[in-house]
Structure formats: structure tokens, C-alpha cells
Amino acid sequence: MTDLAQHAHDTRVVVVGGGIAGIVAALECARLGLRVTLLEAAPHLGGSLDRVALGGIVVDAAADGIPASAQTLTALVDEVGLADELETPRDDRLWLAAGPRGAAPAPAETVLGIPANPWADDVRRHIETRGAWRAYVDRLRPPLTVGRRRSLGDLVESRMGARVRDRLVAPYVLAVHGVAPEFIDVDAAAPSLNPALTRTGSLSGAVAQTLRSGSPPRSAPRGGLHRLVDALAARLRDFDVDIRTGSRVSAVRRDGGGTGWLVATDGASEEVGADLLVLASDEDATRALLAPHLTLPPSAGPRPDPLETVMLRIAGVPLPARGSLVVGGGPAPATVRPVSQTWPSLRDALPAGEEVLRVTQPPTAGDDREAVAAACRAASDLFGVGIGEPAVRAAARVVYSRAAPASLLGHAEAVAAIRDRARTVAGLALVGGWLSGNSLERVAADAVAEAATARHAVLWREQGRP
């Protein structure tokens, strides 16, 4: 064994957090022969790739698909041998229900919900004639009035009016990112939009110039995206990673030499030693663990509120076709995903007449029964059919925190400051959605990059090489 290989074998890595960021960071370190321990407080790995059981059927509780453009996730799927077991949605359209006429398919030709043609039938269905006229006025503005705005909400309202913002742009942005469009950076979310606006003089014209042809559909392993988590856990074990679930980290401290770490977990008598500590926990947990050692700069705001997911397995309720996601209106819109109408393998696993819905809503103050009742009301409203509690055969409730999107105004600058501060501490790396942004692909790609930087630093630290 070479000196470098032996050094890698002797280097201890502790990863705190078993979501996709922690799993990927652990895998990247283990590939080079480092000794890795992965600590996760929950009973199983996955984080936002959580799963629940509904009467004997296991289903994804949150994220359930991989975009075709997700190169890092696709590579992981290939690595664990799931590439031949992927399926695509039957109907992956988005439906919006923020207008007075109820749910309808989202307009086909949009960027961030901004329409290329306000007079198109599928646009007027949501904003009505009055909204179309207001949006069309933008095309009549003199070119010299075009200015550059960073806020998506401000840009849309000033150019095309409140109806476009509130009924087309805001519902999806709020549902997916948890923040209002006023806080989304246009240049981060759609970098080509402002330059096209300068060229064309109107926002709808800019959208028409930047439209892309239809992207390939999402995919997921048959049976659910949680199968990727299980396959990655098996892959970690191939590299002798010590996976400890049900292990909540209570504190981290420097070892006697001042360059390593000792990690304490609830109920364990011995601390776990590490030459490299990778914190893949959420923002609050990360800041709490590091508080005795350093104060991190603040994140950009606002932070998304927690979200409640209620999974419903229902019977005897014929559901109309509603694509793969229906989004309601208001500042905290409920959403419903007809999961069993979307993924063929789940449809085939259910008895005739049964469906599985994933309802997301603001956290309910009461118990699980009240949360299920609220979810039934939201689903009834968005699908236009009565879904009463007697129709529910099984249900599960999950409340989770949400990371802000990478396109949040000020996010990039805040993350740069946080990581600059963290890198002043030897043997420390930070990963996770609160830094990378809430896209699953971003989380995985960021974990790959940060783990590579951190392992290089720790492997060469003793040699004094850059």
C-alpha cells in the first residue's frame, strides 16, 4: 500500500446527516478509501427522500422524481444499477387553481409562469380577459422604459400586472420554493430573461425568445425514489461505511490535538473521532453544533416555513385527470399530487378503485386526524370532488423543514460568506440544501464538489501541500 493510500485509510471522516447530501458526501469520501461513519438521527436514511407505509404499500413522502437534466443523480442511479428500472410519469402536467374558474392546466408556453402570449386560451383561462389586456399593455411600452429588475415578483407585476403574478407565477413559486416571487432573483432563476427583455422591450417577448422546447420527462425507479436511497446505502456498505441510524448528534468538540473532532451522540458512552467532520444536517442543527466553535454569517431571507405532507390512500372516489401536481391559490397554497395517477408501478400495485394522493399544506395545529381532515378538504377543493374521511383507507403525516431555493435574492452571497467562514476551521465541511438550494440535483452536485474539496484538504494537510 502506498503512503498516500495508507494515509487515506487512516483518515477518519464523520458525516452528520443521512439525507442525500450526507449520503453523497460519505460516498465521495469512501471512494478514496477514507474511513467513514455516517450518523443519522432518523430510523433510516433519506431526508427529503422519505417514505411512508400506507396499508402495506411503501410510497415516497416528498420528492418522487428525477429531472432528465439531473446529471449527478442520473450518475448515482447508474452506479447503483437502477438505470434499467426507471419509469416515467403517465401525465406530468402542472395544474393551477388560483383563478376564479378553478383548476386547469398551466399555460404551455411560459418561463417561471410568465406567459409568452397573454391572449393564448390556456393563459386567459387563468387571468381572464382583463388580465390579458393588462399583460398585453407591456408590449406597448416605449423601449426606453425598460429597466432591469432582480425581483421576479416586482418584474412581473410592473410589466404584466397582478393577475399574472398572483395566478400564474406565485402559485408554483410558493408551492415549490416556499417563498413569494418578490424574493426570487430573476437573474439566478432565468439568467437569459433580463437580457432578452432589454432586446425585445417586453416581458412576453423576452419569454418567447427564451422558451425551450419541451424537456424530457422525469423518471424514478419503479416502486419509488426511496429505492435509490436503499441502493446508495448498500453502496456505502460496499465501501465499509459505518452507517448508524437512530443516532442523534448532540455535540461536537475538538480533540486534544486541536485538529480533529470528537462527535457525541445521544445514548452512546463513547464519542466518535474524526479528522474530517462533514455537517450535512439542516441549518438550525448545523448552527447549534458549531456555536461553541464559530458563529456563521446569516443566511439570506426569508426562510420557507415548514411544510406538512399528508399521504392519503383512498377508495371509492373517482378522480378526474389533474396531471401530476395541482396547486391552489393564496400566500400558502395547498398542493395535491395524484401519485397513483402519475407513476405506473404504484397504479398497478393498488386494487381497483383506490388512489394515493400526496397533499402538502401549512402545518395543522391539531393531531393527525385533524391533519387528515384538512388534507381531505384541500384535495376535494382542488379536484372538484368530495373526498370525505370515510374514503380514507390509510394515511400518514410528515412535517419537514424546507431549504430556500438557490434563486433566493442574496442567497449566493450569503452562502459564499458562510463557507468562507467555515473554511477557516480545519477539518470541517458544510453541505446540504440550506447551502446548495432546495433542488435535489443541486444538493447532490454540491455535496460531490464540497466533499472533494474537503477530502483533498484533509489528505494533504499533514504533508503541508496545497
Side-chain angles (χ1 to χ4, degrees):
M1 183 179 290
T2 66
D3 290 343
L4 181 58
Q6 183 62 55
H7 180 43
H9 179 73
D10 293 340
T11 299
R12 304 160 302 166
V13 179
V14 171
V15 179
V16 178
I20 192 65
I23 292 171
V24 171
L27 182 59
E28 289 302 307
C29 291
R31 290 185 201 281
L32 266 65
L34 284 70
R35 287 188 290 149
V36 180
T37 301
L38 176 58
L39 304 174
E40 167 56 40
H44 53 255
L45 303 182
S48 64
L49 298 182
D50 204 358
R51 83 284 302 270
V52 296
L54 294 176
I57 294 179
V58 178
V59 295
D60 293 323
D64 66 353
I66 300 173
S69 59
Q71 297 180 0
T72 307
L73 294 172
T74 300
L76 291 172
V77 169
D78 290 342
E79 179 174 350
V80 299
L82 290 176
D84 293 333
E85 299 188 40
L86 297 178
E87 62 179 349
T88 56
R90 290 180 171 181
D91 182 354
D92 212 17
R93 290 178 299 166
L94 167 68
W95 282 54
L96 301 176
R101 297 168 63 184
E109 295 188 339
T110 67
V111 171
L112 303 176
I114 308 167
N117 177 10
W119 291 106
D121 289 342
D122 60 357
V123 175
R124 286 191 293 120
R125 174 66 175 74
H126 295 280
I127 64 173
E128 303 174 287
T129 301
R130 180 179 175 183
W133 272 115
R134 171 60 185 87
Y136 178 72
V137 167
D138 183 47
R139 285 188 173 268
L140 307 180
R141 286 176 130 183
L144 291 179
T145 66
V146 175
R148 193 180 190 93
R149 292 177 182 260
R150 289 188 65 189
S151 164
L152 174 62
D154 291 349
L155 174 66
V156 173
E157 182 176 16
S158 66
R159 306 293 307 193
M160 303 186 80
R163 290 196 179 190
V164 172
R165 182 200 62 193
D166 296 341
R167 299 183 186 181
L168 298 180
V169 177
Y172 182 76
V173 170
L174 283 163
V176 174
H177 298 309
V179 297
E182 283 69 30
F183 301 106
I184 296 296
D185 187 338
V186 176
D187 292 335
S192 58
L193 195 59
N194 259 322
L197 175 58
T198 301
R199 291 192 302 270
T200 64
S202 73
L203 189 52
S204 59
V207 168
Q209 275 202 0
T210 57
L211 277 174
R212 299 177 181 176
S213 57
S215 58
R218 297 179 300 147
S219 62
R222 287 187 291 273
L225 198 54
H226 60 271
R227 289 189 59 207
L228 174 60
V229 174
D230 295 340
L232 287 170
R235 183 64 171 155
L236 290 175
R237 294 187 181 96
D238 290 341
F239 288 108
D240 296 322
V241 173
D242 182 6
I243 301 174
R244 305 183 190 181
T245 54
S247 297
R248 192 189 77 86
V249 174
S250 55
V252 298
R253 65 183 179 91
R254 281 301 197 181
D255 62 14
T259 58
W261 298 90
L262 293 172
V263 181
T265 58
D266 289 348
S269 58
E270 294 185 2
E271 297 169 303
V272 184
D275 302 296
L276 171 61
L277 175 64
V278 181
L279 294 182
S281 42
D282 64 26
E283 179 174 3
D284 291 340
T286 297
R287 290 183 182 276
L289 290 173
L290 290 179
H293 310 285
L294 78 163
T295 300
L296 295 173
S299 298
R303 290 175 61 179
D305 292 330
L307 197 64
E308 177 176 89
T309 294
V310 179
M311 302 297 300
L312 301 175
R313 181 174 174 178
I314 62 174
V317 182
L319 294 179
R322 287 289 188 272
S324 66
L325 175 63
V326 188
V327 182
T335 72
V336 180
R337 285 190 179 274
V339 188
S340 53
Q341 291 187 351
T342 303
W343 300 106
S345 62
L346 180 56
R347 172 70 276 159
D348 296 341
L350 289 169
E354 292 197 9
E355 302 285 356
V356 171
L357 303 177
R358 180 184 300 115
V359 182
T360 61
Q361 57 194 19
T364 309
D367 57 16
D368 288 354
R369 182 173 180 177
E370 292 180 68
V372 169
C376 287
R377 291 192 296 271
S380 298
D381 182 52
L382 292 178
F383 272 82
V385 297
I387 303 174
E389 292 183 64
V392 178
R393 294 292 180 265
R397 178 194 192 190
V398 180
V399 178
Y400 59 93
S401 60
R402 289 189 287 180
S407 55
L408 186 71
L409 282 165
H411 178 81
E413 297 85 352
V415 170
I418 290 168
R419 284 200 160 135
D420 285 347
R421 180 70 181 93
R423 285 170 182 150
T424 64
V425 179
L428 176 65
L430 307 181
V431 297
W434 69 282
L435 296 164
S436 63
N438 61 2
S439 155
L440 199 61
E441 169 66 12
R442 283 183 177 273
V443 172
D446 178 77
V448 169
E450 289 299 312
T453 299
R455 75 189 181 200
H456 179 276
V458 74
L459 285 174
W460 292 111
R461 184 170 62 204
E462 292 181 6
Q463 285 77 7
R465 294 178 60 175

